[in-house]
Amino acid sequence: MIDLNNVSFNYVGEQREKGLKNINLHIKKGEVVLLCGASGCGKTTLTRMINGLIPHFYPGELTGEVTVDGKNPAKIKLQELAQTVGSVFQNPRSQFFSTNTTAEMAFGCENQGIEPVIIRERINKTVDELKLDKLMNRDIFQLSGGEKQKIACGSVSVTQNDIYVLDEPSSNLDIQAIEELKEQISYWKKAGKTIIIAEHRLYYLSELVDRFIYLQEGRITGDYRAEKLKKITTEKLNKMGLRPFSLGQIKLTAKEKNVTDKLILKDFHFQYKQAERAALSIQKLEIPKNAVIAIIGHNGAGKSTFARCLCGLEKKNQGKLIFEKKALDRKARLKKSYLVMQDVNHQLFTESVVDEVLLSMKNPVAATAHRYLEQMGILELASVHPLSLSGGQKQRVAIASALASEKELVVFDEPTSGLDLGHMQAVASCLTALAAQQKSIFVISHDFELLAHCCDYVIQLEQGRVVKQYSLTHESFPELMAFFRK
């Protein structure tokens, strides 16, 4: 079905991603194959070889032979290959062509000239399978990151391709949506589809994947059948830079601490235009100061809205934050807070990585900016344009800028989206260090492992309301785990 024989590839131009070296890989029809390894190992590049983005969209030096369903992707048009290969990208925004969710679901089939009545049948079937009924006929730009990812998966499923390529499909999904994604992949597998997944999270795929392809620095250094890789110890997985195969292997490593100082939120209410209910409704909320606070909840629970209101970005929110005995209104919170957005493309403005960090500093010093870049493992990218970086690298640039801002309230919205084990642990260490410097850190995340590494307190939101809050201790840790196992 898919063959790569002695394939090597090097990017040219502004692309800073590492290429591939001497790849030999055969994927049989109906196999589910997981591409794993540390960030920059070549997973995404390998997916681009299969779906034709290399060389049509990403030019470079390509040698060797690539065959997908008997065709060479380099020698046929992308629209022809798209009838065989469907792709779901890490950032779903980059693959949307419509502003309406239902229109987006129909777009791929319309491009293939499929009859409207058949398109409607396929959409109805996919909506039922993926439980997307509440997301139909919605403005895509009003959806949460996880909801956008679900629409991207649905749009690909409607086309009924023989091959599906997914790049970090779970990066912005909550545990419920991940379970639904797992069910969808299982459905594709039972239908005999060939599925290639580049992913850092392993636990939800352990029962579905037939083979694990382990890459290091652009080379395949391991090709494991599922039953063999599952026998590898957690310690060895850590050394390989891979995450655990089950949530039960994750332990609470954050240090328990007794925080007495409080932050108090009052009258935090917000409702989007034409929305049926309030996106946020918090009358009063007391939380520890100078701690790392986890904000959890299912997709659409109001987590990102909470972040924007807390940082003073929503003008219609007139709530107050009691901070050091002062009531801070929206404008005052703007000056004291820094937000790392879920889609960091919205906050990258300069023409080099180091300038991006300097921009966030009160007293810009290049040596200090370099220290933050080194902390994030991207010092070698200091002179590179931020928008030419991979998704994970952009994420680390935004985090470095947040560290350099020295703001007293720092909010991270999915800071480990697309990050491997090592970089996730580095982010966790940074968040812990910030709290030790008398900063109040809020972490919106579906990454259970990140929360176990660094968080002191948990706030659970559902439908814009606080339904649970508790200190994260060894006694309460099972409650957090139970949320992620729902």
Side-chain angles (χ1 to χ4, degrees):
M1 191 68 174
I2 300 171
D3 280 291
L4 288 86
N5 297 312
N6 298 318
V7 172
S8 295
F9 179 79
N10 290 310
Y11 289 96
V12 296
E14 291 298 315
Q15 290 297 319
R16 299 289 166 169
E17 295 161 279
K18 295 180 181 178
L20 299 173
K21 303 171 186 176
N22 301 321
I23 298 295
N24 288 283
L25 178 63
H26 172 67
I27 299 174
K28 295 185 293 185
K29 180 177 175 60
E31 273 195 309
V32 180
V33 177
L34 177 69
L35 308 177
C36 56
S39 294
C41 69
K43 299 188 301 296
T44 296
T45 301
L46 189 48
T47 65
R48 291 170 180 167
M49 302 294 299
I50 297 169
N51 62 20
L53 291 180
I54 292 175
H56 293 290
F57 191 79
Y58 296 96
E61 300 173 4
L62 172 63
T63 60
E65 184 179 3
V66 181
T67 305
V68 178
D69 195 26
K71 303 171 185 176
N72 186 336
K75 296 181 179 180
I76 62 175
K77 294 181 179 180
L78 269 177
Q79 54 264 42
E80 183 180 345
L81 186 62
Q83 296 179 27
T84 302
V85 183
S87 299
V88 177
F89 303 143
Q90 182 178 342
N91 180 3
R93 281 172 56 93
S94 63
Q95 68 186 92
F96 289 150
F97 293 90
S98 305
T99 58
N100 177 272
T101 54
T102 304
E104 183 62 34
M105 294 275 284
F107 182 83
C109 291
E110 289 173 339
N111 265 356
Q112 295 178 22
I114 297 173
E115 291 293 328
V117 64
I118 296 176
I119 295 176
R120 283 192 288 270
E121 289 174 359
R122 289 189 182 184
I123 290 175
N124 291 337
K125 182 180 179 183
T126 300
V127 167
D128 183 57
E129 290 169 354
L130 281 179
K131 302 178 178 64
L132 299 177
D133 52 303
K134 293 182 180 179
L135 300 181
M136 289 298 93
N137 289 312
R138 297 267 302 275
D139 182 345
I140 283 179
F141 298 102
Q142 294 296 324
L143 303 181
S144 69
E147 289 169 334
K148 290 172 185 172
Q149 189 72 296
K150 292 172 76 172
I151 291 298
C153 289
S155 300
V156 169
S157 188
V158 168
T159 59
Q160 298 184 1
N161 301 98
D162 291 328
I163 300 171
Y164 293 108
V165 176
L166 294 81
D167 190 6
E168 299 284 351
S170 74
S171 59
N172 292 313
L173 300 184
D174 65 13
I175 194 66
Q176 180 178 328
I178 288 175
E179 189 63 29
E180 291 167 1
L181 172 64
K182 178 181 174 182
E183 292 175 4
Q184 178 60 47
I185 295 172
S186 177
Y187 176 83
W188 287 337
K189 182 176 182 177
K190 291 175 182 176
K193 306 296 183 181
T194 305
I195 307 166
I196 298 92
I197 309 168
E199 181 66 282
H200 291 304
R201 289 174 176 168
L202 305 183
Y203 71 89
Y204 78 97
L205 294 169
S206 60
E207 299 173 2
L208 294 175
V209 173
D210 301 307
R211 290 167 64 195
F212 292 80
I213 305 300
Y214 179 60
L215 292 100
Q216 289 180 295
E217 298 183 349
R219 299 179 185 272
I220 294 177
T221 59
D223 187 344
Y224 305 92
R225 302 304 299 183
E227 57 273 13
K228 182 177 179 180
L229 196 62
K230 289 177 186 177
K231 294 178 181 178
I232 296 178
T233 64
T234 303
E235 290 73 21
K236 186 173 181 180
L237 285 175
N238 285 339
K239 289 180 181 179
M240 294 171 70
L242 300 180
R243 298 205 183 195
F245 275 107
S246 72
L247 294 178
Q249 293 175 305
I250 299 172
K251 307 299 180 186
L252 179 64
T253 56
K255 295 181 180 178
E256 298 180 18
K257 59 184 180 183
N258 185 22
V259 182
T260 55
D261 292 338
K262 299 286 185 181
L263 295 173
I264 303 174
L265 281 68
K266 288 186 175 181
D267 300 322
F268 268 67
H269 303 283
F270 185 80
Q271 186 164 348
Y272 291 100
K273 288 183 179 179
Q274 299 178 343
E276 295 180 0
R277 61 173 178 81
L280 191 67
S281 182
I282 300 175
Q283 196 68 32
K284 183 178 180 181
L285 176 64
E286 292 188 9
I287 47 183
K289 183 172 174 283
N290 302 332
V292 182
I293 302 157
I295 310 296
I296 64 172
H298 296 296
N299 288 128
K303 302 184 298 298
S304 293
T305 303
F306 174 86
R308 292 179 59 81
C309 290
L310 179 63
C311 293
L313 294 174
E314 294 293 354
K315 293 181 180 180
K316 292 184 179 180
N317 172 254
Q318 300 300 319
K320 297 287 192 298
L321 171 65
I322 311 301
F323 184 87
E324 295 179 348
K325 298 182 180 180
K326 295 180 181 178
L328 304 183
D329 61 12
R330 184 186 70 84
K331 291 184 178 180
R333 295 198 303 277
L334 269 173
K335 296 178 180 179
K336 285 187 174 289
S337 60
Y338 193 101
L339 171 64
V340 176
M341 298 179 183
Q342 189 173 27
D343 185 351
V344 295
N345 290 293
H346 292 314
Q347 59 187 126
L348 299 175
F349 305 106
T350 68
E351 296 189 7
S352 75
V353 167
V354 68
D355 285 343
E356 201 67 50
V357 178
L358 289 168
L359 185 66
S360 69
M361 300 172 68
K362 288 183 180 179
N363 301 303
V365 178
T368 304
H370 285 156
R371 190 175 73 247
Y372 288 118
L373 293 177
E374 186 175 19
Q375 201 171 353
M376 286 288 96
I378 49 175
L379 181 57
E380 73 278 6
L381 302 175
S383 62
V384 177
H385 197 296
L387 294 182
S388 71
L389 301 177
S390 68
Q393 289 168 335
K394 290 176 185 176
Q395 194 81 19
R396 283 181 275 160
V397 172
I399 293 171
S401 299
L403 300 178
S405 71
E406 299 184 354
K407 295 294 181 71
E408 294 165 275
L409 296 171
V410 189
V411 182
F412 297 87
D413 195 350
E414 297 292 352
T416 55
S417 173
L419 297 189
D420 61 12
L421 175 66
H423 290 116
M424 180 278 293
Q425 291 173 336
V427 170
S429 297
C430 289
L431 302 187
T432 302
L434 278 175
Q437 297 169 21
Q438 307 302 301
K439 316 285 186 186
S440 296
I441 311 301
F442 294 82
V443 185
I444 298 169
S445 182
H446 299 308
D447 191 337
F448 176 56
E449 199 167 2
L450 171 70
L451 305 186
H453 267 77
C454 66
C455 288
D456 308 302
Y457 200 81
V458 177
I459 295 172
Q460 182 179 337
L461 293 176
E462 296 300 341
Q463 296 186 342
R465 300 176 183 274
V466 176
V467 294
K468 285 185 181 179
Q469 60 181 113
Y470 51 89
S471 296
L472 188 55
T473 65
H474 283 93
E475 288 72 25
S476 64
F477 188 60
E479 184 169 359
L480 180 64
M481 184 179 289
F483 171 79
F484 280 91
R485 279 180 163 171
K486 286 180 181 177

